[in-house]
Amino acid sequence: MDKSKFYMVDYLVAAIEGQLGWGDGKNWNNGDFEELSERIFAETKKRLSVTTLKRIWGRAERVANPSSSTLNILSEFVGYDNWRMFVQAQESLESTEAPQIEPKTPFPWKIPLALGFVLLIALLLAFYASDTEQPSMPKKRLEKTDFQFSRRTVSEGLPNSVVFAYDATAAPDGATIEIQQSWDNNKRMTVSATDSIATSIYYRPGFFKSKLVVGDTVVREADVFIPTQGWSGMVENDSMPIYLETREIQKDDYLAITPETVAKYGLDPRTTEVVTSLYHVADYGELYTDDFQLSLQLQNTFPQGRTGCQWVRMFVLYDGGAIGIPLAKKGCAAQLDLMLFGDYISGKTTDLSSLGVDFTEAATLQCNSKDGILEILVNGQTAYTAKVPIAANKLVGVVVHFEGTGLMKEVSLSNSHGLHQVLQ
């Protein structure tokens, strides 16, 4: 990390410590970092792991160059749009701070004179600002037809590079032009109006809404679809995941990521945060959010995990978002949160105890959408219901994340018209 970015990260850390009022982060315990992770998620709807936070605070092996997405989330937590805006604000403060030089002999008569001088400068600046704002012309309206934006993937499999072709020559002079890789506005890269090609690497499968953004206006969108070839297994990482081979996840009649597989990569879920995942992303045909039935059996197979909660999170991906359903060991319901059509339901303010299970055997999870109601069932019992938006979106994937390790079996996806997919 360059020196300037390094001390700006320290400024960001100090800003968060000041906002929380918990004192110096050097004295925080693991529970404090877990609480900070939850607060960040509640505020930004984006999650940072405890390990990532500890690295930022220097309480674990500090990363040489924190990812932009991590810095964007932390900046948003303290009230800024993104990391760039935080840095600009700090640099602006630095540039306006005059050096404080204490005179050898005090001269009290100089204080009123200095205050008067500062007041005069402030009045002149205010007058100049108001004088220059009046004749300014209204901002030019951006017409989407004046811009072009398309994409193509260069291969199959993961990771996968995507080539974006764009024409942003109609952008106003000095406007910031960015390509947003997905629904997450933290994942943006700045491009030039004089160029026409930009590339990006996608490390995970999914259906992404990429955008061409001029200033704060989305002028064009393009769908990016990164499918899997059957099920894909991964060990998650802050930057690039560890891709598992099919033989490492495929068992006789089920899918699993075992403790032995994780240990082979030098990871121990008892001492560090380890998240493993199974992805299935494909064209499911005429399956939509307003009419589908998903059933699968899930089991967390690492009872000695770092949190002790043995959580599992299942996501149904659709065009434009995801339905997220967690399961965990009984007693950990307060740490769970549902994600349903853009709404977040926290276990701290809602009774989600029905999502607690005994993982000595696999639990059956069902997610049924019909007649405008989404019903979540755990082991045959209704755990939660919610309204389904009228606008139907196409289903594109199923993802399961395990704390530590886990297994999955008997996955089926269907609708009321007889369409049936067995995802095994």
Side-chain angles (χ1 to χ4, degrees):
M1 185 194 308
D2 61 72
K3 185 178 180 181
S4 61
K5 188 175 180 181
F6 191 87
Y7 78 75
M8 282 298 177
V9 172
D10 286 342
Y11 282 0
L12 182 56
V13 166
I16 295 172
E17 290 176 353
Q19 177 171 305
L20 295 171
W22 297 349
D24 194 330
K26 294 179 180 178
N27 301 319
W28 293 355
N29 58 35
N30 193 72
D32 293 325
F33 285 103
E34 289 178 351
E35 176 65 20
L36 175 56
S37 176
E38 292 300 324
R39 291 197 182 194
I40 290 172
F41 180 77
E43 180 68 26
T44 68
K45 304 301 184 266
K46 304 176 186 74
R47 190 175 294 280
L48 291 178
S49 69
V50 171
T51 301
T52 296
L53 293 172
K54 284 185 174 181
R55 286 172 177 167
I56 293 292
W57 260 260
R59 296 289 299 277
E61 183 180 356
R62 195 164 190 176
V63 290
N65 191 18
S67 69
S68 296
S69 61
T70 296
L71 297 176
N72 283 333
I73 294 170
L74 293 173
S75 300
E76 186 178 344
F77 181 66
V78 292
Y80 294 85
D81 290 341
N82 50 45
W83 165 246
R84 182 172 57 229
M85 296 301 293
F86 177 83
V87 171
Q88 289 176 355
Q90 302 310 308
E91 290 176 342
S92 176
L93 286 173
E94 287 184 350
S95 64
T96 56
E97 287 180 353
Q100 303 297 313
I101 302 175
E102 186 173 342
K104 294 181 180 179
T105 306
F107 294 96
W109 57 270
K110 287 187 177 181
I111 296 176
L113 180 61
L115 290 175
F117 179 74
V118 171
L119 180 60
L120 176 61
I121 293 297
L123 289 172
L124 287 173
L125 288 174
F127 174 79
Y128 177 77
S130 62
D131 185 57
T132 54
E133 286 176 1
Q134 292 179 3
S136 63
M137 298 297 291
K139 291 184 178 179
K140 179 183 176 182
R141 179 182 175 85
L142 298 176
E143 298 292 343
K144 295 186 177 183
T145 54
D146 293 335
F147 298 88
Q148 300 296 323
F149 186 52
S150 62
R151 88 292 170 262
R152 66 177 179 87
T153 55
V154 301
S155 65
E156 295 183 353
L158 292 163
N160 202 325
S161 290
V162 176
V163 178
F164 294 102
Y166 68 96
D167 182 350
T169 53
D173 292 341
T176 300
I177 303 167
E178 297 173 304
I179 291 177
Q180 183 173 314
Q181 300 175 38
S182 68
W183 58 268
D184 187 352
N185 59 16
N186 289 306
K187 295 181 179 179
R188 290 184 177 181
M189 57 180 175
T190 302
V191 296
S192 171
T194 58
D195 291 333
S196 60
I197 295 293
T199 61
S200 182
I201 295 180
Y202 286 70
Y203 292 104
R204 292 169 178 82
F207 188 88
F208 308 95
K209 287 284 188 183
S210 61
K211 301 174 176 64
L212 179 64
V213 185
V214 178
D216 293 324
T217 303
V218 176
V219 295
R220 283 284 186 173
E221 293 185 352
D223 294 339
V224 176
F225 187 49
I226 310 291
T228 58
Q229 303 298 316
W231 283 97
S232 178
M234 301 181 194
V235 179
E236 301 292 349
N237 205 350
D238 285 342
S239 53
M240 187 177 74
I242 299 171
Y243 300 108
L244 302 178
E245 297 181 15
T246 300
R247 61 179 177 82
E248 293 179 290
I249 65 171
Q250 188 71 58
K251 309 304 176 182
D252 291 337
D253 59 350
Y254 63 96
L255 297 167
I257 300 176
T258 66
E260 291 76 19
T261 297
V262 170
K264 185 172 68 174
Y265 293 95
L267 300 172
D268 187 349
R270 294 171 299 180
T271 57
T272 60
E273 184 178 47
V274 176
V275 177
T276 57
S277 304
L278 294 168
Y279 289 83
H280 192 288
V281 179
D283 183 352
Y284 296 145
E286 299 302 307
L287 284 169
Y288 292 87
T289 52
D290 63 344
D291 180 15
F292 76 92
Q293 295 83 46
L294 172 66
S295 177
L296 68 166
Q297 292 191 21
L298 297 168
Q299 183 179 7
N300 185 298
T301 57
F302 204 97
Q304 298 85 28
R306 192 180 55 81
T307 70
C309 283
Q310 292 184 271
W311 59 257
V312 177
R313 292 189 177 95
M314 188 276 294
F315 291 88
V316 180
L317 308 182
Y318 59 83
D319 179 356
I323 298 167
I325 304 171
L327 298 176
K329 184 178 178 181
K330 292 181 179 180
C332 292
Q335 296 186 16
L336 302 180
D337 44 74
L338 281 166
M339 184 171 72
L340 302 175
F341 305 109
D343 292 330
Y344 294 82
I345 299 94
S346 172
K348 293 184 177 180
T349 56
T350 305
D351 182 4
L352 299 181
S353 58
S354 296
L355 300 176
V357 298
D358 180 0
F359 274 133
T360 55
E361 58 183 9
T364 300
L365 175 62
Q366 295 169 280
C367 184
N368 301 329
S369 176
K370 187 177 181 182
D371 298 329
I373 298 295
L374 181 77
E375 182 181 21
I376 299 168
L377 300 98
V378 178
N379 291 327
Q381 301 298 313
T382 300
Y384 199 86
T385 60
K387 291 184 178 180
V388 177
I390 295 175
N393 293 284
K394 189 176 176 64
L395 301 188
V396 295
V398 177
V399 180
V400 178
H401 301 296
F402 301 97
E403 179 192 20
T405 62
L407 67 82
M408 177 179 62
K409 58 184 178 180
E410 299 183 15
V411 187
S412 66
L413 184 59
S414 60
N415 67 8
S416 60
H417 300 291
L419 181 61
H420 187 257
Q421 301 273 353
V422 178
L423 309 183
Q424 199 73 14

